[in-house]
Amino acid sequence: MDFKSSDTIPGPRTEDRLPHTAEAAVKIVIVGGFGVGKTTMVGSVSEIRPLTTEETMTQAGIGVDDNYGSASKTATTVAMDFGRISITDELVLYLFGTPGQERFWFLWNGLFEGALGAVVLVDTRRLEVSFDVMGRLEERGVPFVVAVNSFPDAPRYPVAELRTALDLPEEIPILDCDVRRRASSRDVLMTLMRFLHSLAVKGALT
Amino acid sequence: MTPPQRQRRSTGAASDGVPAKEGELRNPERLFVIGGEGGGERADLDLVTLIVARADPPVSATPEQAALLRLCAAPLSTAELSAYLSLPFSVVTVLLTDLLAKELVQARAPIVRQKVADRNLLEAVMHGLQKL
Ligand SMILES: Nc1nc2c(ncn2[C@@H]2O[C@H](COP(=O)(O)OP(=O)(O)O)[C@@H](O)[C@H]2O)c(=O)[nH]1
Ligand SMILES: [Mg+2]
């Protein structure tokens, strides 16, 4: 692998370094279709400029006509943007924006299993893009809230109508947001945290 | 105008009703190999495991290892290491597996979701978000 000399690698800026007391991190996943505003949302709340991690995989197509020696191989790269919010000197929160196609989720060891919860970001011009993702999260028991990123020319539906269309129970928060605004993006994250908190309280009672 | 209607997945569609886990192959004709071939042993590292160097790069370190050790003089997540090094996540975990075995780095495990979430943790995160 062609590798840049270590002196030329720009690491985090001095102000982007975590304190030595940083002990543990938690993560939240923002999931949604292409162009729905995931990276914009990460950038709105992150204390660092959003970064990109990637993973490559080799897809070996073993068809009926192939024998193992001649299996064709295609390399695919999947990228994911992320940002960071320091919660305390000990605790750090990471936000990952990941595309909806779940066939790539396995690439990131425990991305959803380990996350505190998820934000499903939807665009009402193509609501159906999010259907599969919600099913997946339900199957895996990942708690989530739905945030509607309001694009100017997108149809506006009352929350009750959206809830019926998405077939979501009353307790799952659905809210409008403008991911370009920090306060709005923070409200989405706060709504998720309050929802998780309510689940924790309920879980402790049962 | 009404929005399109979601149809819930019929449970049990995935053969015996056990939900498919991340990494399970739905299409048996497709075989995915993460990070190319010959990745070798990989430590169980999360995207947000925090890595801290325990020593300066030894002279025997490869350029990648030396760069990684310099980057995590202060704690840094594996995701950030992957981003700054422009290396795939799996390649970073292979590098780290070696550095962990040599005790050149320390790994600080993330806090992952529990069945019953830790309320103090959630409250701390909410408090942190409020300051944004
Ligand atoms: N008008 C409008 N544009 C937005 C909004 N959110 C994102 N965009 C734009 O939509 C494009 C796609 O957003 P991006 O965050 O890259 O989407 P991603 O593919 O989900 O990461 C960018 O050009 C954004 O500037 C929004 O709330 N309103
Ligand atoms: Mg993006």
Side-chain angles (χ1 to χ4, degrees):
Chain A
M1 186 168 306
D2 204 21
F3 193 77
K4 290 174 263 179
S5 140
S6 64
D7 307 326
T8 64
I9 289 174
R13 300 175 304 172
T14 313
E15 61 268 36
D16 287 347
R17 298 217 181 103
L18 289 170
H20 271 91
T21 47
E23 222 157 56
V26 291
K27 57 184 184 283
I28 289 175
V29 185
I30 301 164
V31 60
F34 180 77
V36 72
K38 302 179 294 293
T39 304
T40 307
M41 184 171 186
V42 168
S44 293
V45 287
S46 178
E47 68 195 12
I48 55 168
R49 156 186 77 83
L51 296 170
T52 307
T53 176
E54 57 173 49
E55 189 52 281
T56 56
M57 60 181 164
T58 318
Q59 182 181 306
I62 303 167
V64 270
D65 297 331
D66 293 334
N67 56 41
Y68 284 84
S70 69
S72 58
K73 288 187 178 155
T74 352
T76 312
T77 300
V78 183
M80 191 161 57
D81 290 336
F82 67 97
R84 193 183 82 192
I85 301 170
S86 293
I87 298 297
T88 64
D89 286 342
E90 290 86 35
L91 184 66
V92 194
L93 167 66
Y94 285 90
L95 301 168
F96 289 91
T98 188
Q101 311 105 301
E102 66 103 29
R103 74 190 185 98
F104 296 130
W105 290 0
F106 76 93
L107 283 174
W108 317 102
N109 189 18
L111 174 62
F112 286 90
E113 275 80 358
L116 294 180
V119 172
V120 178
L121 202 54
V122 303
D123 175 349
T124 54
R125 292 170 300 185
R126 38 201 181 103
L127 204 56
E128 55 299 334
V129 172
S130 62
F131 290 176
D132 207 42
V133 163
M134 289 181 206
R136 286 280 160 222
L137 296 176
E138 285 164 352
E139 278 179 11
R140 287 156 198 248
V142 184
F144 64 91
V145 300
V146 175
V148 182
N149 191 21
S150 334
F151 288 87
D153 54 337
R156 306 261 165 164
Y157 302 114
V159 166
E161 212 171 300
L162 272 179
R163 186 178 298 288
T164 306
L166 297 174
D167 192 14
L168 293 176
E170 202 55 48
E171 77 222 39
I172 295 189
I174 302 177
L175 73 159
D176 282 313
C177 67
D178 181 339
V179 294
R180 294 165 300 178
R181 291 177 44 231
R182 169 174 274 211
S184 181
S185 298
R186 183 204 45 214
D187 286 348
V188 172
L189 297 177
M190 277 301 256
T191 303
L192 173 65
M193 296 315 298
R194 272 191 232 106
F195 175 54
L196 298 177
H197 195 268
S198 74
L199 294 180
V201 171
K202 239 195 286 177
L205 292 178
T206 52
Chain B
M1 207 174 117
T2 53
Q5 180 65 43
R6 174 166 82 113
Q7 303 298 326
R8 272 173 188 269
R9 292 157 175 259
S10 51
T11 43
S15 63
D16 49 4
V18 181
K21 286 214 287 276
E22 244 167 89
E24 256 172 51
L25 301 172
R26 288 177 170 272
N27 186 347
E29 284 158 2
R30 294 270 178 243
L31 185 69
F32 293 103
V33 183
I34 300 177
E37 287 139 280
E41 282 290 300
R42 285 171 62 183
D44 187 23
L45 295 166
D46 192 278
L47 281 162
V48 302
T49 301
L50 297 178
I51 306 296
V52 199
R54 303 173 69 156
D56 288 330
V59 281
S60 59
T62 65
E64 285 94 337
Q65 289 177 331
L68 194 154
L69 285 168
R70 277 193 204 105
L71 280 174
C72 58
L76 211 53
S77 65
T78 57
E80 281 163 297
L81 287 170
S82 157
Y84 288 124
L85 293 167
S86 303
L87 289 174
F89 175 58
S90 58
V91 174
V92 172
T93 60
V94 170
L95 286 173
L96 285 171
T97 303
D98 192 32
L99 293 173
L100 281 164
K102 292 182 174 138
E103 299 190 338
L104 289 171
V105 295
Q106 184 198 32
R108 302 179 180 174
I111 303 172
V112 299
R113 188 177 72 249
Q114 306 289 324
K115 265 230 149 52
V116 177
D118 177 348
R119 275 192 267 173
N120 293 330
L121 172 73
L122 298 175
E123 282 158 20
V125 174
M126 284 193 267
H127 192 253
L129 289 173
Q130 235 135 28
K131 290 184 299 188
L132 266 188

